[in-house]
Amino acid sequence: MDIVQEIETLVGRQAVADLDFEALEVAVRQQVLQLAGKAVEQRFNADLSDEASTRVRCSCGSEARYAGRRTKQVASVLGPLRLERAYYHCASCGHGYCPRDEHLSIENTSLSPALTRMVGTVGAMVSFQEGSELLTELAGVAVDTKQVERTAEALGKEIAADERRCTEPLDTLPLPQTLYLGMDGTGIPLRAEELAGRIGKQPDGSAKTGEVKLCTIWSAESLDAEGTPIRDEGSVTYSAALESACALDTAATRSPFAQRVWREAARRRFCQAPRTAVLGDGAPWIWNIAEDQFPLAIQIVDRFHAKQHLSDLGKALYGPTTPRASQWAERRKEELDTGKFQALLTAIRRQVSCSEDARRCLHYFQTNQHRMRYPEFHAQGLCTSTGVVEAGCKVAIGTRLKRTGMHWTVYGSNAIIALRCAKLSGRFQDFWERRTEHRAA
């Protein structure tokens, strides 16, 4: 009844036409949250069950003794809370702790679980500064930029560890007829200290970026009017990190990224699908992983990348702006689309004696010939484009980590990538439930 009276006091007796609706909404919301926060605070502080014992087992193995109650200021979605907890001190190791902090998931943090989740969401989607501003504007909670960064990265680190542990299938729904797996890499700007000793594409051989490797899996069961597969809504999942895709032939384990691909394939039951296909841009590391892990999958080179090689060669042979360059390339593209592969190879081979670019292009097409059977793939209703993968590089990585002025550490980038992939793949809720169950246990 008190809250109703407070709201009526805020509204007053003036006519509705005279009210500033927005100001009223904000004021009432603030009052309600403050009242709810006080109720939660009083409920927690009235519960003294966490001091039921005078001694508890310390992590060092000795006993910690009860040493009174301590207060902790916690930022929450209801506003600031002043929580009192039983405090235990261990004379053997000199450390003290509050058992309730772990139970409430506020150990080593001043943010409540719900606010931590909000911070993780904004940290995954926008810059840390923008996230701080959104929390203030939308939730009415002040969390400074550095706190957003620390919290989002810590949460991303948890998600990355969870991704390595949890490889069981995520659902038991019927598998689609065809599952696609794509791999690609995209550079992100790193801090100077992270680039020391790295070989890159700068004139002096140095590097300005590190390459994030991305694995994505999707299905595309329906076709458009031209018979081109259409990605099924909600079917795309991502897994990515700034890590190597290479391992020595004598290595006892697969490369870090190859292990990531295998985990993602296990979660999506990729190898159990009636038909599987691996798509890539032609990079050897992609096909090495595909042949090692998915020997039965159809391998397809992205048609756009193949045609780009032909356009680049035409410009190298006849000049970048000449009509002859585009005419030569268009003829080769038509041969590629219609399956006249020998004619395509013959046309490129004629240029090898006078062009190193032609020699490299010939090698590319000869090596990937079995991955470029586009008329056959089209007749089977298969995707021949890595558009989903290219979009993944942009949406999952570029949109968040390649903005002007950003320079990342390996730790920070991998944490935010893990957080963002979990959000975009619809797995954040599953992670959060496992996290909550683990802490409760």
Side-chain angles (χ1 to χ4, degrees):
M1 195 64 184
D2 291 340
I3 190 171
V4 174
Q5 292 174 350
E6 289 186 28
I7 292 173
E8 287 179 345
T9 301
L10 283 171
V11 175
R13 293 183 175 278
Q14 65 267 47
V16 171
D18 297 332
L19 290 176
D20 184 333
F21 197 1
E22 179 188 359
L24 178 63
E25 287 181 287
V26 173
V28 170
R29 180 171 181 257
Q30 186 176 15
Q31 289 287 332
V32 171
L33 289 176
Q34 286 180 355
L35 185 62
K38 286 296 181 183
V40 170
E41 185 181 278
Q42 291 175 10
R43 173 65 180 84
F44 280 5
N45 293 341
D47 184 354
L48 306 181
S49 60
D50 58 334
E51 61 180 63
S53 176
T54 58
R55 297 172 184 269
V56 296
R57 181 67 62 182
C58 179
S59 58
C60 73
S62 300
E63 285 190 334
R65 299 182 62 181
Y66 174 68
R69 298 191 74 77
R70 299 290 174 89
T71 299
K72 181 172 186 174
Q73 197 77 11
V74 176
S76 79
V77 297
L78 303 175
L81 303 178
R82 182 177 173 275
L83 302 183
E84 298 172 359
R85 308 99 68 232
Y87 176 75
Y88 290 82
H89 183 265
C90 178
S92 297
C93 67
H95 291 117
Y97 70 103
C98 298
R100 181 165 283 178
D101 285 1
E102 184 175 3
H103 176 69
L104 297 179
S105 297
I106 56 172
E107 191 176 28
N108 302 319
T109 181
S110 61
L111 305 184
S112 71
L115 186 52
T116 296
R117 181 168 179 163
M118 282 188 181
V119 171
T121 297
V122 297
M125 308 311 290
V126 296
S127 73
F128 302 127
Q129 181 178 344
E130 290 169 332
S132 175
E133 293 168 354
L134 283 174
L135 287 169
T136 301
E137 182 175 350
L138 300 180
V141 181
V143 183
D144 66 58
T145 300
K146 202 62 186 177
Q147 177 77 311
V148 173
E149 178 180 355
R150 288 194 298 266
T151 303
E153 289 185 353
L155 201 54
K157 182 181 178 182
E158 287 187 50
I159 290 176
D162 182 76
E163 186 277 331
R164 289 189 292 271
R165 288 192 303 267
C166 300
T167 59
E168 64 275 7
L170 299 178
D171 59 56
T172 56
L173 296 175
L175 284 166
Q177 179 64 29
T178 306
L179 274 179
Y180 298 90
L181 186 150
M183 291 175 271
D184 202 359
T186 183
I188 62 168
L190 296 180
R191 294 182 182 177
E193 60 268 24
E194 298 281 4
L195 294 167
R198 286 178 182 255
I199 299 174
K201 299 179 181 179
Q202 301 303 307
D204 61 356
S206 64
K208 285 190 175 182
T209 63
E211 187 171 63
V212 175
K213 298 292 195 304
L214 173 82
C215 168
T216 182
I217 296 178
W218 74 97
S219 62
E221 294 293 88
S222 58
L223 305 176
D224 65 14
E226 298 178 354
T228 303
I230 303 171
R231 172 183 58 83
D232 296 331
E233 186 175 354
S235 71
V236 183
T237 57
Y238 306 104
S239 186
L242 192 69
E243 60 190 8
S244 175
C246 300
L248 296 174
D249 293 338
T250 55
T253 59
R254 291 170 171 142
S255 70
F257 182 70
Q259 294 178 46
R260 177 177 299 279
V261 171
W262 182 253
R263 293 193 300 269
E264 184 64 15
R267 280 188 288 268
R268 295 296 305 271
R269 297 182 292 161
F270 180 76
C271 294
Q272 299 175 33
R275 185 172 66 173
T276 58
V278 176
L279 283 82
D281 62 7
W285 62 267
I286 294 176
W287 308 122
N288 290 339
I289 292 175
E291 289 169 3
D292 173 45
Q293 299 188 12
F294 316 114
L296 300 181
I298 301 167
Q299 296 181 9
I300 303 174
V301 166
D302 172 55
R303 193 192 298 239
F304 173 81
H305 280 85
K307 290 184 176 182
Q308 189 62 50
H309 276 74
L310 296 173
S311 294
D312 292 343
L313 180 56
K315 293 174 183 177
L317 293 173
Y318 302 108
T321 59
T322 63
R324 191 176 180 187
S326 60
Q327 291 170 1
W328 185 91
E330 289 305 315
R331 284 197 295 270
R332 305 292 82 79
K333 292 175 186 178
E334 183 181 356
E335 291 165 349
L336 185 67
D337 286 335
T338 57
K340 299 175 181 177
F341 212 85
Q342 292 307 315
L344 169 65
L345 294 179
T346 299
I348 299 174
R349 193 176 289 113
R350 291 195 190 103
Q351 310 296 331
V352 169
S353 61
C354 60
S355 170
E356 179 63 20
D357 291 311
R359 186 195 65 78
R360 288 193 294 267
C361 190
L362 180 64
H363 175 73
Y364 172 80
F365 279 93
Q366 286 177 327
T367 302
N368 291 294
Q369 180 174 349
H370 64 291
R371 304 183 181 108
M372 297 179 178
R373 306 190 310 272
Y374 298 125
E376 178 183 334
F377 297 150
H378 183 75
Q380 295 175 6
L382 287 166
C383 288
T384 59
S385 168
T386 58
V388 174
V389 189
E390 299 286 335
C393 285
K394 181 178 180 180
V395 172
I397 311 300
T399 301
R400 177 64 182 88
L401 287 92
K402 297 172 73 170
R403 296 173 62 175
T404 302
M406 288 185 172
H407 292 86
W408 296 87
T409 63
V410 172
Y411 167 81
S413 62
N414 277 342
I416 297 304
I417 290 169
L419 182 57
R420 190 166 174 82
C421 285
K423 291 292 292 184
L424 295 175
S425 301
R427 295 173 177 166
F428 186 78
Q429 178 63 29
D430 294 330
F431 156 74
W432 195 260
E433 290 176 1
R434 286 192 295 270
R435 181 182 192 262
T436 303
E437 290 170 0
H438 173 75
R439 289 175 178 249

